[in-house]
Amino acid sequence: MTSDDAGETAPDPALIHSLLEAFRRSKTMMAAVSLGVFEALEPAGATSGELASSLGLHAGALERLLGACVALGLLTHDEGRYRNTPAASAYLRPSSPRQLTGYIKYSNEVLWKMWERLEDAVREGTHRWNQVYGWEGPIFSSFFRTELAMREFLLGMHGQGLLSSPKVVAAFDLGRFQRLVDLGGATGHLAVAACLRYPKLQAVVFDLPQALTVAREYLASAGLPGRVELAPGDFFLDSLPEGDLFALGRILHDWSELKVVALLERVFDRLPSGGALLVAEKLLTPDRSGPPWASMQDLGMLLYTEGRERTLDQYREILGRVGFTEVEGRITDSPLDAVLARKP
């Protein structure tokens, strides 16, 4: 607490100051990723002059950016050389198997501009695709108009998946299931995590053909020969593969309630009696006031999708409407939580 000129005790402004500068910190990281700083520093580090020369950047300006990255804990500076911290080396280099750079670039190049229009989204209750980019269709179909854009996004989400999928498949005992169908499974990280945890499980990754190109590369190195299949298709339109356990990871929060119900009905109809659906999303608290990650994601969904984040009770309601029963939720210490719903 502090005192003002009138002698009254004022609240600590630290929270406000922290939030005020938060965008500066995230933009600093995004800029350093975009400029190739972390990749260029691996493995031996470099002086600011060496780095400026190799990246074609203004030496003085780069030194200021590097100083900011040191202050944020992304770099170290010792005897004139800058080096990546372990977190930067793991997550901020495109060549790292755990990279988040695809999603960071997507946030920097696409999502950042929509957050500038948050006030308009709250006034009107709609996404900002058209206002910011002139796009009429879903952001995914517009942004993924190039193979490179899709690849970078999928690899970025893959890094998030490596953090969350092992926790999601461990949240419930899934040992009784025989065949997992991961709808919109992207690189296959959830299917791989499930097969590694449950030795008798077979899996199918179902996604658009262009996404499966990236999945094929990951599965080739996953060490699960013959256990994970790839099936191309659109889960809103095409016939779904056969399985007694379906998964939807970071899918339901993208779409309107009408589309969510339609997709859940397709899954329910395809499941045998006794089958189940595993949903991987971040759960909001019952009063929708947190946790912060979920709340920020919920605002993000307002800006750039048709969907929203939900509480466990909201999932129970919408899943029950379709026919699912015994809906349970588990909070994990990862970017995603887990919900399991059974077909009677």
Side-chain angles (χ1 to χ4, degrees):
M1 305 289 280
T2 60
S3 297
D4 59 22
D5 293 340
E8 297 180 358
T9 300
D12 186 346
L15 172 62
I16 308 305
H17 285 151
S18 175
L19 294 174
L20 181 62
E21 70 159 4
F23 81 93
R24 303 173 190 178
R25 284 177 272 157
S26 59
K27 184 61 180 179
T28 297
M29 179 186 68
M30 292 174 182
V33 167
S34 179
L35 292 170
V37 167
F38 303 106
E39 192 67 70
L41 288 175
E42 197 76 13
T47 67
S48 61
E50 291 168 345
L51 197 60
S53 177
S54 66
L55 296 178
L57 303 174
H58 185 281
L62 174 61
E63 190 168 20
R64 294 161 77 169
L65 177 65
L66 295 175
C69 288
V70 172
L72 293 177
L74 301 176
L75 297 177
T76 62
H77 187 214
D78 183 49
E79 297 182 350
R81 297 187 73 79
Y82 294 90
R83 292 178 174 84
N84 292 327
T85 61
S89 181
Y91 303 121
L92 301 183
R93 295 185 303 111
S95 63
S96 168
R98 293 186 173 274
Q99 62 97 342
L100 299 176
T101 56
Y103 192 68
I104 289 170
K105 289 181 179 179
Y106 174 62
S107 299
N108 189 34
E109 297 167 9
V110 179
L111 305 186
W112 182 274
K113 297 173 184 177
M114 283 190 280
W115 278 93
E116 293 179 359
R117 302 297 182 176
L118 179 58
E119 296 91 337
D120 293 332
V122 174
R123 289 187 189 102
E124 301 174 19
T126 57
H127 58 73
R128 299 294 95 191
W129 307 336
N130 190 267
Q131 181 184 25
V132 176
Y133 295 109
W135 295 342
E136 296 297 338
I139 187 173
F140 308 108
S141 60
S142 298
F143 180 67
F144 296 155
R145 62 192 179 277
T146 70
E147 183 177 346
L148 178 60
M150 169 170 274
R151 182 182 183 83
E152 285 201 337
F153 177 81
L154 290 175
L155 289 176
M157 297 307 295
H158 175 77
Q160 295 275 28
L162 293 180
L163 298 173
S164 60
S165 289
K167 302 293 181 68
V168 168
V169 300
F172 303 95
D173 182 2
L174 306 176
R176 68 185 177 89
F177 298 106
Q178 303 297 313
R179 185 175 169 86
L180 165 69
V181 179
D182 187 9
L183 298 181
T187 62
H189 51 78
L190 189 142
V192 168
C195 286
L196 289 174
R197 185 171 182 86
Y198 303 101
K200 297 181 180 180
L201 187 69
Q202 301 284 319
V204 181
V205 177
F206 184 88
D207 211 324
L208 299 173
Q210 56 268 44
L212 294 185
T213 300
V214 183
R216 192 169 290 108
E217 296 172 10
Y218 173 56
L219 292 176
S221 62
L224 294 167
R227 292 185 60 196
V228 182
E229 302 174 22
L230 299 178
D234 183 323
F235 49 58
F236 283 121
L237 301 173
D238 298 318
S239 178
L240 303 181
E242 182 180 357
D244 59 347
L245 175 64
F246 276 66
L248 289 166
R250 297 186 72 140
I251 299 295
L252 297 184
H253 73 170
D254 288 333
W255 304 102
S256 67
E257 187 162 307
L258 184 65
K259 290 181 180 177
V260 167
V261 170
L263 178 56
L264 291 176
E265 287 175 341
R266 301 194 83 216
V267 172
F268 187 85
D269 291 343
R270 189 59 168 146
L271 278 169
S273 297
L277 169 64
L278 178 66
V279 174
E281 300 281 5
K282 200 63 181 174
L283 293 172
L284 287 164
T285 56
D287 65 356
R288 299 184 60 84
S289 63
W293 175 279
S295 295
M296 294 301 98
Q297 185 84 331
D298 192 35
L299 270 184
M301 294 300 102
L302 170 63
L303 286 164
Y304 38 81
T305 76
E306 304 171 17
R308 65 187 308 166
E309 304 300 333
R310 293 178 173 84
T311 67
L312 179 57
D313 281 343
Q314 287 175 316
Y315 277 113
R316 285 195 175 112
E317 190 280 326
I318 201 167
L319 288 161
R321 200 189 316 169
V322 173
F324 286 101
T325 60
E326 302 177 59
V327 180
E328 302 176 74
R330 297 284 188 275
I331 304 298
T332 78
D333 60 348
S334 81
L336 296 177
D337 299 318
V339 176
L340 189 68
R342 294 171 176 82
K343 179 174 178 176

